[in-house]
């Protein structure tokens, strides 16, 4: 049950696009289309942004999109806004009723 | 409106026990898997345990197996986490969360557990 690998930080200027990666193995990210992404602001509970790799819950702006290639999933935030500054975590099914999060990425809007 | 309200956290000595509760409302509680997720101070998220709708299946992260027990009372719309033999490394904010479509679509506000002498 090793954590998925995310870059500790990412940044971009308002209006730009930024992509956050989430790398696992063929036993988790690569083996299932059960990757989700969460946004967390300081002192708050996480918020679901993407589920099943690329689906967006109602109310999440379409600036947020998800994808997967092999053992790496990605979250792309287009048209960056100041309010997007937060921590982002990926999450995946890892088989045998086990689940694993990524270590988290702090997104800074410059 | 879906609401999850976590409670029961506090300061406990190493080796001690604590029982967390999560009160659910705004949805048919008995129709969903439920989970506990924790976050150590300044760290990332960690899945702790899941429980099936009727309580017949329960799964745990290796680090808490044999020490923590997840349970639910569908008549009371409540989720619980009994934590025994607590260690310093169990110090974290504990969130209950609704597990649906292989993700957590709703979260409680979290309750802080501090294990220290």
């Amino acid at each position: 049950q090793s954590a998925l690998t995310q870059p500790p930080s990412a940044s971009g200027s308002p209006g730009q696009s930024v992509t956050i990666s989430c790398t696992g193995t063929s036993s988790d990210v690569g083996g299932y289309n059960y990757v989700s992404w969460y946004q967390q602001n300081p002192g708050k509970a996480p918020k679901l942004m993407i589920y099943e790799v690329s689906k967006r819950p109602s109310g999440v702006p379409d600036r947020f999109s998800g994808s997967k290639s092999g053992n790496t999933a990605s979250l792309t935030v287009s048209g960056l806004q100041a309010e997007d500054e937060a921590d982002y975590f990926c999450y995946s099914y890892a088989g045998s009723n086990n689940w694993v999060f990524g270590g988290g990425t702090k997104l800074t809007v410059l | 409106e879906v609401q999850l309200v976590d409670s029961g956290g506090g300061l406990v000595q190493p080796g001690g026990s604590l029982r967390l509760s999560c009160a659910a409302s705004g949805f048919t509680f008995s129709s969903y898997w439920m989970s506990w997720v924790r976050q150590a101070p300044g760290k990332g998220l960690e899945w702790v345990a899941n429980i099936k709708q009727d309580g017949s299946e329960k799964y745990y992260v290796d680090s808490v197996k044999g020490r923590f027990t997840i349970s639910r009372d569908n008549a009371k719309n409540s989720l619980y986490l009994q934590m025994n033999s607590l260690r310093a490394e169990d110090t974290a904010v504990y969130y209950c969360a609704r597990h649906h479509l292989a993700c957590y679509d709703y979260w409680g506000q979290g309750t802080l557990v501090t294990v220290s002498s």
Side-chain angles (χ1 to χ4, degrees), chain A residues 72-98:
Chain A
T72 298
S74 298
L75 173 71
T76 298
V77 185
S78 306
L80 266 177
Q81 298 183 4
E83 67 205 49
D84 300 331
E85 186 162 294
D87 293 327
Y88 291 84
F89 296 90
C90 61
Y91 174 72
S92 173
Y93 183 55
S96 301
N97 295 297
N98 289 310

Side-chain angles (χ1 to χ4, degrees), chain A residues 1 38 40 45 91 97 99, chain B residues 39 50 59 62 99 103-104 108:
Chain A
Q1 294 164 332
Y38 302 85
Q40 187 180 35
Y91 174 72
N97 295 297
W99 301 82
Chain B
Q39 186 171 34
N50 283 352
Y59 302 100
D62 286 347
H99 204 237
C103 67
Y104 300 113

Side-chain angles (χ1 to χ4, degrees), chain B residues 3-4 22-35 51-54 71-80 96-98:
Chain B
Q3 279 201 320
L4 298 171
C22 171
S25 61
F27 66 103
T28 305
F29 181 71
S30 59
S31 295
Y32 292 87
W33 281 78
M34 295 296 296
S35 303
I51 185 168
K52 194 176 179 180
Q53 289 92 330
D54 61 359
S71 63
R72 64 192 297 161
D73 185 336
N74 287 342
K76 295 183 177 179
N77 290 337
S78 293
L79 177 72
Y80 306 101
C96 76
R98 191 174 84 170

Side-chain angles (χ1 to χ4, degrees), chain A residues 1 34-36 38 40 43-48 50-52 89 91 96-103, chain B residues 33 37 39 43-47 50 57 59-63 95 99 101-105 107-109:
Chain A
Q1 294 164 332
Y34 292 143
V35 177
S36 51
Y38 302 85
Q40 187 180 35
K44 301 294 186 181
K47 174 188 175 184
L48 177 66
I50 296 288
Y51 68 101
E52 292 181 349
F89 296 90
Y91 174 72
S96 301
N97 295 297
N98 289 310
W99 301 82
V100 63
F101 280 98
Chain B
W33 281 78
V37 176
Q39 186 171 34
K43 302 296 184 182
L45 299 167
E46 180 181 40
W47 163 71
N50 283 352
E57 296 181 34
Y59 302 100
Y60 302 89
V61 68
D62 286 347
S63 59
Y95 297 98
H99 204 237
L101 296 176
C103 67
Y104 300 113
D105 58 353
W107 297 68
Q109 85 286 1

